[in-house]
Every structure is written in C-alpha cells, then in structure tokens.
Amino acid sequence: MRPIASLSLALLLACADTTAADEPLSPYQWQQAQKVAFEKSEKVYADALKRDGLLAQYAAMRDAYRADKDRAFRIVFGQYLSWYQSFVGDYAGAHDSYSIRQLPSQDDAASPLSGGQVAKPALEAIATLAKGRKAIFLNEAHNVPLTRTLTVELLSKLRADGYTHFAAETLYSTDTDLAKRGYPTAKTGFYTMEPICAEMVRTALKLGFKVVAYESEREGNGDIREYDQAKNLYERVFKNDPTARVVVNAGYAHIQENGKYLGGRSMAQHFTRLSGIDPLTVEQTMMMEHPPGTESHPFYLAAIAQLHPTAPIVFENAKGEPWTLKPKAYDVSVVFPPAPQGEERPAWADLGGLRQAYFVAGDFCQKQFPCLVEARYADEGDDAIPADRLVLDPINAINRVNDKVIQGQIEVHGNLYLRPGRYRITGVDRENHSLARKDVTIGSGGATAPAAGTRAGKGG
C-alpha cells in the first residue's frame, strides 16, 4: 500500500529543512544528504511492504529506523514510520517520530489572549460557522489522528445541517464498492489504514453522506496534484449537483486560501477558482502540543496555561468572528488540549465520549509478543479496517513510565477505544499467525462480555 503522490521529495525536504538548523553541513550538502535519505527510505519502505501482515511491516520499518542513526535518514524516514505507527495505534510514537516545528511568524495574528477574544467549544462553534456554506475544508496532520477526532464528531452536526458529500485525501476511486459495503478496507485508501481515519469514513457512510475520492490520478506533485484534486472535487460533487454541500478532509496546507504552495497554488485555491465557492477553512495542525525537542507555538502554550481546556476550542470576538493564527490563509484555528502525561494511549481516542476504553492484558495474546490486537465491528467482514487496534510489546512497554516491573517482567497491557456495540477482538503475532479471538459487547456503561484476558473499563 502506498500514498498517492504523498511521497513527494520536495514536500519531505521542505518539512525536514525546518529541523536542520544545527546540522554542520552547508545547505547544499544537507539537501544532498536528504536526497540520499529519501532513496534509502523508499527502499526500506518497499522491502517492508513485502512482509506478510501489518505488524510485520511496521516492525521492519521500526527496526530499520532504530538501527540507522543517520540524522537525515531519521528525519525523512521518520515520516514513513510515523504513518505506520498511527496505523497500529501507537499515537504517541507516531507524533514523536515526525513533527513540524510551529515557530512564531510575521504572518501570525495577534495572540487570542491579547483581548477581545472568547474561547468557545470548537464542536459547537465550527458547526455554527459552517451553516449556510457550500463547503467546509478541515485539515489534518496525517500522522496525528488527534487532528481527525473533531471532524468525526462534527459529521453528525454537518449532516443534520444539510451537508451531502464527504471527501477525503488519498481515498482510492478504484474502491467502487465502498458505499455498498459500508466500511473501509485496505483497498479504500492510504490514510484510512489508520482506525480513526477509517472511522471518519465509516461514520460519513452511516450518516448518509456520499463519500467522494478526489485524489489526483496523474503523475506529478506540486501544482499538478493540487489542480487535479480541486478539479476532481468540483466535478465529482458540484458538476451534476449544484445544490450539493461538501465536507472535505485534507492534509496541512492543501486547504490554505492564499499564498504559494509547493511552487503553485493549493488545492483550496484551485477549487475556489474552478467553482466560485469560498469554503470555510479550518486549520487543525498548528495549535496543538508538539513532542519534546520540537516547538509548540507560544500562543498555544499561553492559551493552555491560562485556560486549561479539556476539549478542542476556538476563539471568537464579540461579533462572533473566529480567530485564526494565519488570517491570510485560514478562517479559523482549532486549539487542541494536550494529552495528560503518562498515558500509554491518549484519551482523545475516545472521540469526545463517543467511544469507551476497553482494557486488554497481555495474556489475551497468550503472552506472545509483539502482538497486534484488533477490534472489528461484528457485522463487518474480516477485510474491514478495525474500529481500533494496538500493539502489545514489552520492548516498547519497558520505556513507559506507568508500566510496572513484576518479578523481572513487564506488565504488558493497553486500551482499545470502542463505541457501544458488538465486536470481535483478535490478536496476531509478527508472522501474522492467529493468537486469540473473542466476541465482546460494549454497552453504554462499558463491556458486558469481556474478552478472555481483558477487563472492561479504563485501565492503567
């Protein structure tokens, strides 16, 4: 599986350059080192894809990353690894492996704490801002599923308001059975391999949205890809249905409304020129916590320190006009609260309370590690992307502060996050051999039929 046109060397280099300030090489030498790292990364990635099963692919990539200390390789390949860490549910690890610094910039607005701005729950405020619009574009950091959680929660409100279509980056147009089947599989897209992204598509289908694949199918990146995405979006949504209203999920600056992007225009800029529609653009990748060793924006740090939010917020002035960090590029910025310290899997995976934590202990996998644990909806096929998944692995667990060492052994466990309903929970080893399977029912108050080796409710 590969992302369509996502492995752009130009984009990877642009992101990687932001972390190379202390590299003792000339700019040209550093750029050449990154090109070599990109070629090496492609080879490691291609070799990993030959392995049988997601766990084996992830483990091969993780091992290659750990074994190679070259700075350029770790910066470039860190993005590849981070995608797969998100796929297997290691959300903290995914963010640690790849993060873009969010430094102050001359095009920043004044701090929302400087006066006249009031914090509002993002879920309600954005739903209100979207009323009467033809399109709402929400961006995400592809390896940080936190930036998908608000979109999942928003979908029901937007559908109730009359939005008709949902479109997401790197969905494959070749999956013509998606609507009939009702759930994503490995053939549906690239980022939908991550369970929250899959839940976003699954939720849209269940709510009655027409799900649209708008990814470019031409060779090339930069302006070629951006124009093709916009053209596909316009033609597949509005050309035959001028009354349509669309929710669009895209990565990073694909949704910026002004300025150059990769030497040309962004998808959103092309879309507006083609359609005449001004979308509501919701920026979700800048005002969030960044891993140790990278920088969070000082406005973010100040807002968190002063307000201590427990759910995503936005800022509005007395006229109800939203605050945005980048006034020339986006309409509104979302501020995400940080995950509490020491959590092995962040509680934001509960999707604002839509899902509950379900504790899984190591003996579910017969104490054979690493073990990939997956929970699929009972009425979906074995080809479905799981509702959630995690890896139980004592090698990783030994570095976690909250794990207990008992008689020289690590207590391996984790939480799955599941909506109320019926599931089958499975475990496989690195060779993709089955280790365990159990049917469970998650009620409104927790699990009513816990899997062997697991207990219901929140676990530490």
Side-chain angles (χ1 to χ4, degrees):
M1 73 193 76
R2 297 185 62 87
I4 302 175
S6 286
L7 301 182
S8 163
L9 179 57
L11 180 56
L12 284 171
L13 296 185
C15 294
D17 279 344
T18 64
T19 65
D22 58 348
E23 180 66 34
L25 298 174
S26 70
Y28 175 77
Q29 290 173 320
W30 178 239
Q31 186 179 56
Q32 294 304 114
Q34 290 176 90
K35 289 181 179 179
V36 171
F38 179 80
E39 293 171 358
K40 186 191 301 183
S41 297
E42 284 282 274
K43 183 179 186 304
V44 172
Y45 181 58
D47 289 344
L49 291 186
K50 298 174 184 177
R51 307 295 179 97
D52 182 22
L54 181 63
L55 180 57
Q57 294 169 4
Y58 156 70
M61 296 174 72
R62 180 199 63 191
D63 293 347
Y65 180 82
R66 288 176 172 174
D68 195 324
K69 303 302 182 183
D70 178 73
R71 178 176 173 78
F73 174 76
R74 291 176 73 85
I75 288 174
V76 175
F77 191 69
Q79 187 175 30
Y80 294 66
L81 175 62
S82 71
W83 292 328
Y84 273 72
Q85 287 173 304
S86 76
F87 293 171
V88 299
D90 181 9
Y91 295 146
H95 202 181
D96 287 345
S97 294
Y98 184 79
S99 180
I100 301 173
R101 291 176 174 180
Q102 194 59 54
L103 302 176
S105 176
Q106 290 184 346
D107 62 349
D108 289 349
S111 168
L113 302 178
S114 61
Q117 302 284 345
V118 177
K120 300 285 186 68
L123 182 61
E124 302 298 335
I126 293 174
T128 298
L129 291 169
K131 288 183 180 296
R133 306 295 288 256
K134 293 285 289 182
I136 173 174
F137 288 10
L138 303 108
N139 71 349
E140 66 169 42
H142 296 310
N143 66 316
V144 187
L146 166 66
T147 58
R148 296 171 177 143
T149 58
L150 181 60
T151 305
V152 177
E153 295 178 62
L154 272 168
L155 285 175
S156 61
K157 292 182 178 295
L158 296 173
R159 181 67 179 135
D161 187 50
Y163 281 83
T164 56
H165 292 67
F166 174 78
E169 186 178 335
T170 73
L171 290 184
Y172 303 147
S173 60
T174 51
D175 186 5
T176 56
D177 293 329
L178 175 61
K180 180 181 178 181
R181 190 174 58 243
Y183 60 84
T185 70
K187 297 180 179 180
T188 297
F190 182 74
Y191 296 122
T192 45
M193 287 295 295
E194 189 278 309
I196 292 178
C197 189
E199 192 69 8
M200 187 163 56
V201 172
R202 182 185 284 113
T203 299
L205 290 168
K206 289 182 177 179
L207 289 170
F209 282 94
K210 295 179 181 178
V211 174
V212 177
Y214 69 90
E215 186 56 70
S216 173
E217 294 164 3
R218 285 200 297 167
E219 289 292 328
N221 285 291
D223 204 58
I224 293 174
R225 182 187 180 205
E226 299 302 302
Y227 175 80
D228 259 26
Q229 286 182 325
K231 182 172 179 286
N232 290 340
L233 190 58
Y234 171 64
E235 291 184 347
R236 296 173 188 180
V237 176
F238 293 102
K239 190 172 183 179
N240 296 320
D241 185 3
T243 66
R245 301 171 69 193
V246 66
V247 183
V248 178
N249 171 261
Y252 297 105
H254 289 302
I255 73 165
Q256 73 177 35
E257 298 191 62
N258 288 288
K260 286 189 176 182
Y261 180 61
L262 296 179
R265 294 187 177 95
S266 71
M267 177 272 292
Q269 290 171 289
H270 283 298
F271 173 80
T272 297
R273 289 169 63 90
L274 287 169
S275 67
I277 296 170
D278 177 23
L280 175 70
T281 50
V282 183
E283 210 300 310
Q284 301 187 98
T285 70
M286 297 178 180
M287 297 294 284
M288 63 179 179
E289 183 182 36
H290 286 61
T294 61
E295 283 88 0
S296 299
H297 198 283
F299 292 175
Y300 173 81
L301 297 174
I304 296 303
Q306 180 171 319
L307 301 176
H308 307 288
T310 58
I313 58 173
V314 299
F315 289 92
E316 293 182 353
N317 62 20
K319 298 179 181 179
E321 298 168 336
W323 177 85
T324 171
L325 180 64
K326 305 290 184 182
K328 294 181 180 180
Y330 308 101
D331 291 320
V332 57
S333 293
V334 176
V335 179
F336 288 97
Q341 294 273 335
E343 287 190 352
E344 52 187 87
R345 294 193 78 210
W348 51 252
D350 72 353
L351 303 180
L354 295 176
R355 309 200 297 186
Q356 302 168 35
Y358 182 82
F359 184 92
V360 183
D363 56 354
F364 176 72
C365 294
Q366 314 302 319
K367 298 189 181 297
Q368 297 186 47
F369 307 113
C371 173
L372 179 65
V373 180
E374 300 179 308
R376 288 180 171 83
Y377 290 95
D379 60 352
E380 295 182 356
D382 289 338
D383 60 343
I385 302 301
D388 198 12
R389 59 161 74 96
L390 62 85
V391 174
L392 298 181
D393 186 354
I395 295 178
N396 286 339
I398 197 168
N399 295 318
R400 293 177 180 157
V401 175
N402 284 349
D403 283 310
K404 301 175 182 178
V405 180
I406 301 176
Q407 294 181 349
Q409 295 197 7
I410 298 297
E411 182 183 332
V412 184
H413 53 71
N415 286 327
L416 292 167
Y417 284 89
L418 305 172
R419 293 178 187 257
R422 295 184 301 113
Y423 298 86
R424 61 184 179 281
I425 300 180
T426 59
V428 298
D429 64 15
R430 187 166 174 164
E431 282 70 48
N432 211 30
H433 297 148
S434 176
L435 296 175
R437 171 174 172 148
K438 185 71 174 182
D439 296 333
V440 302
T441 299
I442 307 297
S444 58
T448 56
T454 70
R455 66 176 185 267
K458 291 193 181 286

